[in-house]
Amino acid sequence: MNREEAWGRLVALHARIEGELGRVLQRRHGLGLSEYRALDHLSRATGKNNSMRIQELAEALELNQSSVSRLVARLESAGLSERDICEDDRRGIYTMLTETGRKSLDDATPTYQETLKSALQKAEADPGLKEAVRAFKSLR
């Protein structure tokens, strides 16, 4: 297999796993995959009250500033996060996890982990993705 084929299979594996994670998180917890990942990043943030600058969250999620601003607005509307102005730099805006957001993340994490495991098992049964799944699993 050449590099282009291997890359194509890796992209296909990624798309399949992301799609399954997104569908299950939405159905069971009302969270999109980006929302789940944002909550996860905020839960690990070392800033005051698990806060991150919106720009830092954008970089962590590999999304542009406007996409993350809309994402943070959705999280705020759902009561999962809240914004705060940076005391040192009034132009900086932070977002932080609320207790409701932490509970939502805690509730959704087992679903995320189970779905990831199941989706990898299903993908491994596909002859075109088997090698990519095994390569991923060997990274542990």
Side-chain angles (χ1 to χ4, degrees):
M1 173 183 339
N2 64 38
R3 286 183 191 258
E4 289 79 18
E5 285 177 305
W7 178 249
R9 289 180 183 184
L10 181 60
V11 169
L13 174 63
H14 179 266
R16 180 181 287 188
I17 301 297
E18 293 270 289
E20 184 69 13
L21 285 167
R23 281 187 296 277
V24 172
L25 286 170
Q26 186 66 51
R27 187 175 59 243
R28 292 189 190 168
H29 302 281
L31 289 174
L33 187 54
S34 293
E35 293 162 338
Y36 174 85
R37 289 198 173 125
L39 294 176
D40 185 53
H41 280 289
L42 289 173
S43 77
R44 299 170 196 272
T46 57
K48 179 180 148 190
N49 299 324
N50 294 112
S51 66
M52 294 178 80
R53 288 181 84 123
I54 291 183
Q55 181 178 349
E56 292 171 328
L57 184 59
E59 290 169 8
L61 294 171
E62 296 288 332
L63 295 172
N64 64 47
Q65 186 83 25
S66 64
S67 294
V68 172
S69 291
R70 289 190 303 274
L71 170 64
V72 168
R74 288 193 309 272
L75 293 173
E76 285 179 351
S77 292
L80 304 176
S81 74
E82 58 189 22
R83 291 184 204 215
D84 194 16
I85 301 293
C86 176
E87 293 175 13
D88 300 333
D89 175 6
R90 292 283 182 201
R91 294 171 298 164
I93 299 174
Y94 283 85
T95 186
M96 65 192 77
L97 198 59
T98 62
E99 284 304 315
T100 302
R102 182 168 303 285
K103 179 165 180 1
S104 183
L105 175 64
D106 290 346
D107 291 347
T109 295
T111 300
Y112 180 92
Q113 293 168 342
E114 292 164 15
T115 302
L116 177 59
K117 181 180 178 181
S118 172
L120 284 168
Q121 288 172 342
K122 287 180 200 171
E124 194 169 23
D126 182 330
L129 300 176
K130 188 175 194 169
E131 288 181 48
V133 173
R134 287 189 177 164
F136 171 76
K137 286 182 172 181
S138 73
L139 296 175
R140 296 177 194 195

